[in-house]
Amino acid sequence: MSRRALRRLRGEQRGQEPLGPGALHFDLRDDDDAEEEGPKRELGVRRPGGAGKEGVRVNNRFELINIDDLEDDPVVNGERSGCALTDAVAPGNKGRGQRGNTESKTDGDDTETVPSEQSHASGKLRKKKKKQKNKKSSTGEASENGLEDIDRILERIEDSTGLNRPGPAPLSSRKHVLYVEHRHLNPDTELKRYFGARAILGEQRPRQRQRVYPKCTWLTTPKSTWPRYSKPGLSMRLLESKKGLSFFAFEHSEEYQQAQHKFLVAVESMEPNNIVVLLQTSPYHVDSLLQLSDACRFQEDQEMARDLVERALYSMECAFHPLFSLTSGACRLDYRRPENRSFYLALYKQMSFLEKRGCPRTALEYCKLILSLEPDEDPLCMLLLIDHLALRARNYEYLIRLFQEWEVGASLAHRNLSQLPNFAFSVPLAYFLLSQQTDLPECEQSSARQKASLLIQQALTMFPGVLLPLLESCSVRPDASVSSHRFFGPNAEISQPPALSQLVNLYLGRSHFLWKEPATMSWLEENVHEVLQAVDAGDPAVEACENRRKVLYQRAPRNIHRHVILSEIKEAVAALPPDVTTQSVMGFDPLPPSDTIYSYVRPERLSPISHGNTIALFFRSLLPNYTMEGERPEEGVAGGLNRNQGLNRLMLAVRDMMANFHLNDLEAPHEDDAEGEGEWD
C-alpha cells in the first residue's frame, strides 16, 4: 500500500507529519545523491519538481514556495537573491547546523559535513547559472538577429513598393473625427497646463476631503453649495440601435411634467423671481436653471450664471442611460424632441463660459460633443464655430483633418465645408500657422505654406466681400490698388446675398483678431495681389464663383439663425431676416423646429378673465393678481395672492383712488345719453 493511501486511512494530511530533531536545517543534495536516497526521505518535504532536483528539509514549509525557481531568481548586486539559502549558515546557527548534521546520519545520509554540502551545492548552482546565462545570451542574439532580418525584409518590401515607413497613421486606424476625450472635458486639465496644478488645486484639496459626492461625473464637479441631489424625475431611454448608432431620448416623469408646466407659467409672467420660487421646490429642474442663468448673465453675475448651468448639466448627466457614451461619437439625441433640447443648450452655454474663461481646448471638446449628438442635421450649427475653437486651441492638425475627411469623404460629400466662409478662411490660416512651427521639417513647412497659399486664393476668389471688412476689423489700411479695384471694392460687399452677409459678419465678429499678426498680414497681402492678377487676366474661376454665390446663398436655414441668436454677436444678429426678429424667442428654446415631436402636451390653461363678471374684470384691471372667491391663484408663482390678501390690497387701492377723485374733473354727460339724464350719485 502506498504512503498516500496510508495517510488517507489515518486521516492525516501532507505537511502535518511530526518534525524530527533533524528537520531544522537545510539539506541540499546533488542530483545523484537525490536519486539514490529519494525513497529513504520521510521527515523532509520533497520538492514537487520531480526526480533530478534537490530535496530540501525546512521547518517553515512556506519557504518552499519559490524554491523551484532558485536558478531564476532576480540578480541583486551581481548575484541572485536565491543564493542566500545555499551560500552559508549564519554564525549563530553553526552549532545547530552541526547537530543537525550528526543526527542526519541515522537517516542514511552521507558522512559529509553541512558546509561541504552547501559549498558543493552552491558550486553546482553557479555552474547552472553560467549555463543559463550562456543560453539566454545565445537566444537573445538569435532573436536580435531574427528581428534584424525581419526589419531588412520589411525595408526591402517597402523599397520595392515605394512606400515609406515614417508618416501619419492611415485614417482607418485613427480615432473618429468626433471622438471626445474625457480628460479634455475638465477645464482644470487645461488650466493646470497653463498655471500649474498647485495654483489650480491648492485651495480645493482641503475642502474636497470633507465632501461626499453622490456620483462621479465627467461634465461637471458637484459643489458643496448646491442643494442635496434627489432624482427630479428626469431619465433617459434607448429608442433603437441601427448601423452602429444608438438613439436615445430624455423622458419626464409626471412630477417633472408638473414642474415643467409651472415653469412655462413662470416664464409667461416675465418675472425671474417666479423661477426662483420654482427652484426652491425643484432645485434640479433643468429649464428653470438655464433660464435663470440667462437672467443672471444679463445682470453681469457671471459666476452665478455659470454655476446654474453646471447644476443643470449635473442633473442631466445623473439621468444618463448606462449605454449612453459621451466619447464614442455614436450616440444620437433627436433635437426635435423638446426633452433633448435642454441638453444641447446646457452644453452650448457651458462651452461659451469655458471659451470666455480662457479654456479653448476644453471648449473644443464640448463643441465636438454637441456636433456628435446629431452631426447630419447639426441643429445648433456647430460647424460655424468649431474652426474658431480649433485655431484658438492651436489644434491645427484636427481642423485640417476635419476639413479633409468631411470635404472629400464619400458619405459626407454633401457638406461642402469649403462653401462656408469660416472654413474657407480658417483652413488656409491653419496651414499657414502650421508652416510657422519651427519643429517641423523644412519639406513639411514648405508644403504647408504652398497649400495655405492655394486655399486662401480660392477663398478670396469665392468670397471677395470678406477682405475689406477683415482689414477694417484688424485696423489695417489696404493699398489703393486693392481698395479701388472693382473685385475687392465696396461693391463686392454690397452685391453679396443677405444670407452670405450674415455668415461673413458672424465669422468676422468672432475670428477677426486671429489675423492681426504681422506675418499673417504680409502673407495675406501677397495672395491678394496674386488674386488680382488672376482677375485681370480673365480667369474663368472668377465668373464660376460669382454664379455659385448667387445660387447657394439665397436663404439661410433655421439652424444658422438659431446659432446666430445663441452667439449674440451684434453684427450677425443685426443681419437676421425680419421674419426671425419679429417673433418671440425664448431663451430655453430658441427657434424650435417646425416638426417638433411632443411626448406630452401641456394642458389648456383657462384664463380666469374669461369667466369673470364685470366687477371682477374691473378689479382685475387694477390688480392683475386679484382672485375672487372660489378661484385659486397659480401655484409656484411669486405674487399669487389668496382671497383675503387680494381684498385688502384692493380696498387700499380703491381708497387711494377715491382720495384723488374730484367731481370737477369729470365732464357733464351729454343730453342724448339714454340713461341717467346726466345725474351722478
Side-chain angles (χ1 to χ4, degrees):
M1 185 179 293
S2 63
R3 189 175 302 173
R4 179 180 301 175
L6 287 174
R7 281 199 304 267
R8 290 182 178 177
L9 290 175
R10 295 174 185 174
E12 298 176 355
Q13 296 180 1
R14 176 176 290 183
Q16 295 182 353
E17 301 87 358
L19 295 178
L24 298 176
H25 74 284
F26 300 122
D27 191 3
L28 301 178
R29 304 300 179 102
D30 297 337
D31 295 340
D32 300 334
D33 299 336
E35 293 175 358
E36 293 176 359
E37 299 174 2
K40 299 180 182 179
R41 297 183 181 179
E42 297 179 0
L43 300 179
V45 177
R46 188 170 183 83
R47 202 171 47 185
K53 292 187 180 181
E54 299 82 6
V56 182
R57 291 180 181 177
V58 294
N59 187 14
N60 185 3
R61 301 183 185 277
F62 293 101
E63 295 178 359
L64 300 177
I65 293 176
N66 297 325
I67 201 71
D68 293 334
D69 300 329
L70 285 173
E71 298 85 2
D72 299 333
D73 288 338
V75 178
V76 180
N77 295 331
E79 297 182 357
R80 298 186 181 273
S81 59
C83 297
L85 295 175
T86 59
D87 287 346
V89 181
N93 298 332
K94 288 182 180 180
R96 185 181 303 174
Q98 292 175 358
R99 289 194 298 270
N101 185 23
T102 56
E103 294 175 357
S104 64
K105 294 179 181 179
T106 60
D107 297 332
D109 294 337
D110 296 338
T111 58
E112 295 179 0
T113 59
V114 174
S116 63
E117 291 178 359
Q118 293 177 352
S119 62
H120 186 65
S122 63
K124 287 271 186 179
L125 290 175
R126 289 173 184 171
K127 291 180 181 179
K128 291 182 180 179
K129 293 173 190 174
K130 291 181 181 178
K131 291 180 181 179
Q132 290 177 357
K133 288 181 180 179
N134 294 333
K135 290 181 181 179
K136 290 180 180 179
S137 62
S138 61
T139 55
E141 292 176 358
S143 61
E144 290 179 358
N145 294 332
L147 291 175
E148 291 179 358
D149 295 339
I150 293 173
D151 292 338
R152 292 174 183 175
I153 293 173
L154 292 175
E155 288 178 358
R156 293 173 185 174
I157 294 174
E158 290 173 354
D159 293 339
S160 62
T161 57
L163 299 176
N164 296 324
R165 283 184 294 173
L171 295 178
S172 60
S173 63
R174 295 183 184 179
K175 294 180 181 178
H176 193 270
V177 70
L178 296 180
Y179 178 81
V180 179
E181 297 184 12
H182 273 143
R183 61 189 183 94
H184 288 305
L185 290 175
N186 188 1
D188 291 340
T189 304
E190 187 172 3
L191 293 176
K192 287 177 191 176
R193 188 169 68 249
Y194 296 152
F195 306 105
R198 185 173 298 179
I200 302 303
L201 300 178
E203 299 180 357
Q204 298 180 6
R205 288 174 181 170
R207 288 183 288 179
Q208 285 180 351
R209 295 174 184 173
Q210 302 176 358
R211 297 179 184 175
V212 178
Y213 298 145
K215 185 177 180 180
C216 179
T217 54
W218 291 105
L219 296 176
T220 58
T221 302
K223 299 179 181 179
S224 59
T225 57
W226 291 358
R228 184 177 180 180
Y229 178 77
S230 60
K231 293 184 179 180
L234 188 65
S235 61
M236 178 186 284
R237 67 185 177 98
L238 176 63
L239 298 178
E240 61 177 346
S241 297
K242 60 180 181 180
K243 298 181 180 180
L245 302 177
S246 300
F247 296 85
F248 297 87
F250 282 96
E251 285 187 333
H252 295 170
S253 65
E254 294 183 0
E255 181 182 358
Y256 198 93
Q257 291 179 16
Q258 294 178 2
Q260 187 74 12
H261 299 329
K262 295 177 183 179
F263 164 74
L264 296 177
V265 173
V267 170
E268 292 174 356
S269 67
M270 305 298 291
E271 178 60 41
N273 293 329
N274 298 339
I275 302 178
V276 175
V277 174
L278 177 59
L279 286 175
Q280 292 177 358
T281 57
S282 303
Y284 286 93
H285 184 259
V286 177
D287 286 342
S288 299
L289 292 170
L290 297 179
Q291 190 71 18
L292 189 60
S293 174
D294 289 340
C296 294
R297 186 166 52 86
F298 293 150
Q299 296 177 2
E300 303 298 331
D301 192 353
Q302 301 293 334
E303 188 67 25
M304 178 59 69
R306 186 177 63 187
D307 185 81
L308 293 172
V309 171
E310 291 179 356
R311 199 199 301 183
L313 282 176
Y314 178 73
S315 177
M316 305 196 79
E317 189 172 2
C318 290
F320 280 174
H321 192 275
L323 299 179
F324 184 79
S325 175
L326 292 171
T327 61
S328 63
C331 296
R332 300 289 184 265
L333 284 175
D334 194 349
Y335 192 80
R336 294 176 299 174
R337 298 181 178 272
E339 297 87 354
N340 296 340
R341 297 173 197 166
S342 302
F343 188 57
Y344 279 89
L345 296 175
L347 290 175
Y348 187 93
K349 294 178 186 298
Q350 178 71 355
M351 178 192 63
S352 302
F353 284 122
L354 290 171
E355 183 186 3
K356 295 176 182 178
R357 192 180 176 186
C359 301
R361 184 66 181 85
T362 311
L364 176 62
E365 293 299 316
Y366 273 83
C367 184
K368 290 161 56 178
L369 175 58
I370 299 173
L371 185 58
S372 67
L373 295 178
E374 199 172 358
D376 294 334
E377 298 297 332
D378 193 9
L380 299 187
C381 208
M382 303 311 295
L383 288 177
L384 299 178
L385 177 62
I386 193 170
D387 61 304
H388 170 75
L389 295 176
L391 290 176
R392 284 202 58 188
R394 299 180 181 180
N395 198 349
Y396 311 128
E397 294 84 357
Y398 174 77
L399 177 58
I400 294 172
R401 180 193 169 193
L402 177 65
F403 178 76
Q404 291 177 350
E405 292 189 15
W406 284 21
E407 177 69 15
V408 299
S411 60
L412 298 172
H414 64 281
R415 290 183 179 270
N416 295 327
L417 297 183
S418 60
Q419 306 306 314
L420 295 175
N422 58 314
F423 268 93
F425 282 87
S426 295
V427 173
L429 180 60
Y431 272 110
F432 174 74
L433 296 176
L434 193 63
S435 67
Q436 297 295 107
Q437 295 182 356
T438 57
D439 55 345
L440 290 179
E442 294 183 0
C443 59
E444 295 185 9
Q445 289 181 356
S446 60
S447 176
R449 182 70 177 262
Q450 294 177 0
K451 190 69 175 178
S453 299
L454 177 63
L455 290 177
I456 193 62
Q457 292 177 14
Q458 294 178 0
L460 291 171
T461 305
M462 183 65 189
F463 307 104
V466 178
L467 180 62
L468 292 184
L470 175 61
L471 297 179
E472 183 179 359
S473 301
C474 297
S475 302
V476 175
R477 180 178 299 178
D479 295 340
S481 59
V482 176
S483 59
S484 60
H485 198 278
R486 60 177 178 82
F487 189 72
F488 288 118
N491 188 30
E493 183 180 359
I494 298 173
S495 61
Q496 62 187 3
L500 180 58
S501 300
Q502 185 176 349
L503 294 176
V504 170
N505 292 329
L506 183 66
Y507 174 70
L508 295 178
R510 177 178 283 157
S511 305
H512 68 275
F513 64 91
L514 298 174
W515 295 81
K516 287 187 176 182
E517 294 294 330
T520 305
M521 276 297 168
S522 61
W523 164 72
L524 179 62
E525 182 181 3
E526 296 174 1
N527 290 278
V528 167
H529 290 294
E530 292 290 336
V531 172
L532 287 179
Q533 293 178 2
V535 171
D536 295 338
D539 191 350
V542 177
E543 185 178 358
C545 291
E546 183 178 359
N547 296 332
R548 198 182 308 166
R549 286 195 301 271
K550 295 179 181 179
V551 174
L552 293 179
Y553 306 99
Q554 296 181 359
R555 179 176 176 80
R558 194 173 183 84
N559 60 342
I560 292 181
H561 294 159
R562 190 180 297 118
H563 178 86
V564 170
I565 292 174
L566 291 174
S567 66
E568 298 180 356
I569 297 177
K570 297 180 180 179
E571 297 83 0
V573 173
L576 286 173
D579 59 341
V580 177
T581 56
T582 53
Q583 60 179 316
S584 60
V585 178
M586 308 304 295
F588 66 94
D589 190 10
L591 296 182
S594 57
D595 54 348
T596 300
I597 302 175
Y598 292 101
S599 301
Y600 60 93
V601 182
R602 180 186 178 187
E604 296 183 1
R605 178 170 172 250
L606 296 177
S607 177
I609 301 178
S610 60
H611 56 79
N613 52 27
T614 307
I615 299 177
L617 293 176
F618 171 71
F619 288 158
R620 195 169 285 115
S621 64
L622 299 176
L623 292 176
N625 292 325
Y626 169 75
T627 56
M628 293 291 292
E629 185 177 0
E631 296 179 0
R632 296 182 59 186
E634 295 293 339
E635 297 180 359
V637 180
L641 305 176
N642 57 26
R643 180 171 177 271
N644 296 330
Q645 292 176 346
L647 289 176
N648 293 335
R649 294 193 179 184
L650 176 63
M651 295 302 296
L652 292 175
V654 172
R655 185 181 301 172
D656 295 339
M657 182 182 65
M658 295 302 295
N660 298 325
F661 190 81
H662 298 284
L663 294 177
N664 296 330
D665 296 337
L666 297 176
E667 296 181 357
H670 297 283
E671 295 179 356
D672 56 351
D673 288 342
E675 297 178 357
E677 294 295 337
E679 296 180 359
W680 292 85
D681 294 336

